Amino acid sequence: MSRFKFLWGVAILLVLVIVGVGGLTSSASATPLKPPAPPPVHQSFQVSQSYVPGSPAIQPRASQNTSGPAFTREDVIAFFNVHGFFAGPVVPGAHLQILTIQFVTAKQASQLMYGESVGRPDDYLVCYVKVQGPFLLTSVHMPHVKKAPTTAKYGDAAFDAHTGNLLVWGFYVQ
Amino acid sequence: MLLKQPKATHTTGYSILADRAITALFVLIVLFSSSLFLAGTAMAAGASAMTPQIPLSGYCNNPDPYSGHCYAERYWPGYTGGANTLINPYGALNCQGCTGFITDEMWFSDPYSSQCTSTAFQACWVEAGVSTYPANDPNNCIPGYDSTCLFWADERPNGGGYHEHPLYTFGGDGVDLTPYLIYITIANNNGFSSSGSAWSISTLIYESGNLIANPGGLSTNNTMNVDRVTIGSELSDSGASAGDFYFQDNQWMNGSGVWKYQTTTGTNDSTNPPPYGYWQTSPCSCSGNTGGSFETYD
């Protein structure tokens, strides 16, 4: 009888220790340590902060140190033929049309985009592209709004002419 | 005649001693195990901000009827020239194999002026935050892979349309964002008024306590009159999940350019969950207020 109780006690002991240690270790792994957040600092905005690298998109052919573009119009066409447009796929039955491809300054590209910032100095060379869908708007971030279109007829984008990186893309419903 | 001795029915001195020892050992073990378990529970409650770590995923059952997206969010109405929040993540944003995305972000918007209600979205805004991107999305910060990226975007009046800009690459889908702190400030770039034409997007990205990047943007030719600041999570796919993301240091800028912490819980404009959102610490007009801590998860 005593031996039975002893074995029973050991078994319960093991279970409880496992549960206890398990609870400790699992909670420890679920609660990563993190340094305290510093209080917010509000510094004056510098436009150079907007000169970010962009997202890799068109593979450059030429050296990025040359003054001219590092890729061609054909590279742009090939990119859109493979990847489509950024807003989403064209509606069923439609085909993506590339309306224009222009190597222009960032200032000119901004003007073509109704004043949208391109994220480069005014005289910097970029590649502006305008396309036509219509496109389904599946990749659009938006607040909780009262109305949202599901398709857009036109889209545009600007690429860094030296790196091929995407700087901005957008769409116009009409 | 021999009398048959009855079997001893009482225990011997040795067995009594052994039973008491076992009982005492048993009690000690229970106390030890309980303390371990309670200590672990207390650690979890204290460090992960007292929220259930339930891995939930799915899609809300009443998405916004226009966008089809789901939201866990709070907004503060009122004219302002600037807003700030700190996105403090514990965990990751996951959306592997998705065609949509899940985000945590801040929107700075004008839903009322006629120039904005006449746009396709009946509102203008500037937004910035962290989002997942599908592998086949050409706007992906890691081409060809599900990934997690910082972005900003705007919807402008007068035919300006919607435009989106990449800001920073955190990594692949599901990358642990816990080491990061992401401060986002959107403000009038030419003054303190709620009306303007250029809005700066400033970010500060800390990793393990060190400032590693401060990418930004400028929303130009955007003549909105800002009357709403919104924080929260946006979901557009059924395959997403997310850890605990906290929106802290929620601030707005008054007409003199002074930054004020939010003191109210704002308005709940969420759809049904997921994503989930609630005030883990409510903003208040009280000592020590730092704009509350709004948690989202999915």
Side-chain angles (χ1 to χ4, degrees):
Chain A
M1 187 64 180
S2 294
R3 180 174 294 174
F4 173 75
K5 283 184 178 177
F6 180 77
L7 291 173
W8 185 239
V10 168
I12 292 174
L13 176 155
L14 287 172
V15 168
L16 290 173
V17 167
I18 289 168
V19 168
V21 172
L24 185 67
T25 55
S26 66
S27 61
S29 63
T31 56
L33 294 174
K34 203 164 181 176
V41 177
H42 299 290
Q43 297 171 333
S44 60
F45 176 77
Q46 305 296 318
V47 71
S48 58
Q49 289 176 244
S50 69
Y51 303 157
V52 299
S55 294
I58 299 169
Q59 187 70 35
R61 293 179 181 220
S63 165
Q64 296 175 15
N65 295 325
T66 59
S67 58
F71 54 90
T72 66
R73 293 167 53 89
E74 286 68 33
D75 294 327
V76 177
I77 294 167
F79 175 84
F80 282 106
N81 283 340
V82 171
H83 299 288
F85 187 61
F86 305 102
V90 291
V91 300
H95 298 282
L96 186 150
Q97 301 175 60
I98 298 177
L99 302 178
T100 183
I101 301 172
Q102 302 178 53
F103 289 95
V104 295
T105 65
K107 183 175 183 178
Q108 289 170 315
S110 175
Q111 289 167 344
L112 291 166
M113 303 175 95
Y114 301 92
E116 180 74 18
S117 167
V118 174
R120 287 291 183 271
D122 281 351
D123 58 353
Y124 193 92
L125 188 65
V126 301
C127 178
Y128 172 79
V129 182
K130 186 165 186 179
V131 296
Q132 181 175 331
F135 308 97
L136 296 170
L137 301 177
T138 57
S139 301
V140 179
H141 298 95
M142 66 185 79
H144 198 170
V145 289
K146 290 175 282 189
K147 182 185 176 187
T150 55
T151 63
K153 188 172 182 180
Y154 297 106
D156 59 8
F159 301 87
D160 185 310
H162 301 297
T163 66
N165 287 358
L166 174 69
L167 301 175
V168 54
W169 67 270
F171 65 83
Y172 310 88
V173 173
Q174 293 298 327
Chain B
M1 181 178 179
L2 289 173
L3 291 176
K4 203 171 183 179
Q5 290 290 323
K7 268 189 174 176
T9 54
H10 57 279
T11 54
T12 64
Y14 170 80
S15 63
I16 289 171
L17 194 61
D19 278 356
R20 285 181 178 169
I22 289 169
T23 304
L25 185 63
F26 185 79
V27 169
L28 282 172
I29 290 162
V30 167
L31 289 172
F32 176 66
S33 302
S34 301
S35 66
L36 284 177
F37 189 79
L38 290 173
T41 307
M43 280 177 63
S48 75
M50 295 155 284
T51 52
Q53 302 268 335
I54 305 169
L56 299 169
S57 64
Y59 203 56
C60 61
N61 59 17
N62 74 333
D64 173 81
Y66 302 108
S67 66
H69 297 183
C70 311
Y71 297 88
E73 64 179 28
R74 296 292 186 276
Y75 76 78
W76 291 276
Y79 292 107
T80 180
N84 175 81
T85 194
L86 161 62
I87 299 177
N88 191 350
Y90 282 78
L93 295 177
N94 302 282
C95 209
Q96 281 197 334
C98 289
T99 55
F101 55 79
I102 185 166
T103 75
D104 275 287
E105 54 181 308
M106 179 171 76
W107 295 270
F108 192 65
S109 55
D110 173 358
Y112 297 120
S113 73
S114 59
Q115 60 173 345
C116 290
T117 56
S118 61
T119 67
F121 292 90
Q122 295 189 357
C124 308
W125 70 86
V126 179
E127 62 179 305
V130 187
S131 179
T132 62
Y133 286 82
N136 64 353
D137 187 336
N139 185 28
N140 204 320
C141 56
I142 307 177
Y145 295 91
D146 294 320
S147 57
T148 306
C149 321
L150 189 69
F151 76 98
W152 76 270
D154 60 11
E155 165 69 17
R156 299 174 299 142
N158 307 315
Y162 173 95
H163 287 88
E164 185 170 323
H165 305 245
L167 276 178
Y168 187 78
T169 302
F170 287 104
D173 184 280
V175 62
D176 183 15
L177 297 175
T178 305
Y180 295 96
L181 297 169
I182 305 149
Y183 292 84
I184 296 173
T185 304
I186 304 173
N188 191 329
N189 195 50
N190 298 314
F192 310 133
S193 171
S194 62
S195 294
S197 61
W199 307 91
S200 62
I201 301 94
S202 305
T203 71
L204 294 172
I205 303 173
Y206 288 82
E207 183 179 14
S208 303
N210 302 309
L211 179 65
I212 58 166
N214 64 339
L218 195 60
S219 177
T220 46
N221 200 23
N222 184 353
T223 54
M224 60 183 185
N225 187 9
V226 176
D227 192 14
R228 180 176 293 189
V229 174
T230 308
I231 54 170
S233 176
E234 180 183 8
L235 171 67
S236 73
D237 198 285
S238 61
S241 64
D244 301 321
F245 281 59
Y246 299 91
F247 291 82
Q248 301 168 333
D249 288 326
N250 295 296
Q251 294 180 307
W252 62 284
M253 188 176 71
N254 72 12
S256 302
V258 178
W259 289 91
K260 304 277 191 180
Y261 282 112
Q262 299 286 0
T263 56
T264 71
T265 54
T267 302
N268 183 353
D269 193 31
S270 305
T271 58
N272 283 354
Y276 297 79
Y278 79 110
W279 282 107
Q280 185 250 342
T281 302
S282 295
C284 58
S285 299
C286 56
S287 175
N289 173 53
T290 56
S293 182
F294 182 69
E295 179 189 353
T296 66
Y297 61 99
D298 180 8

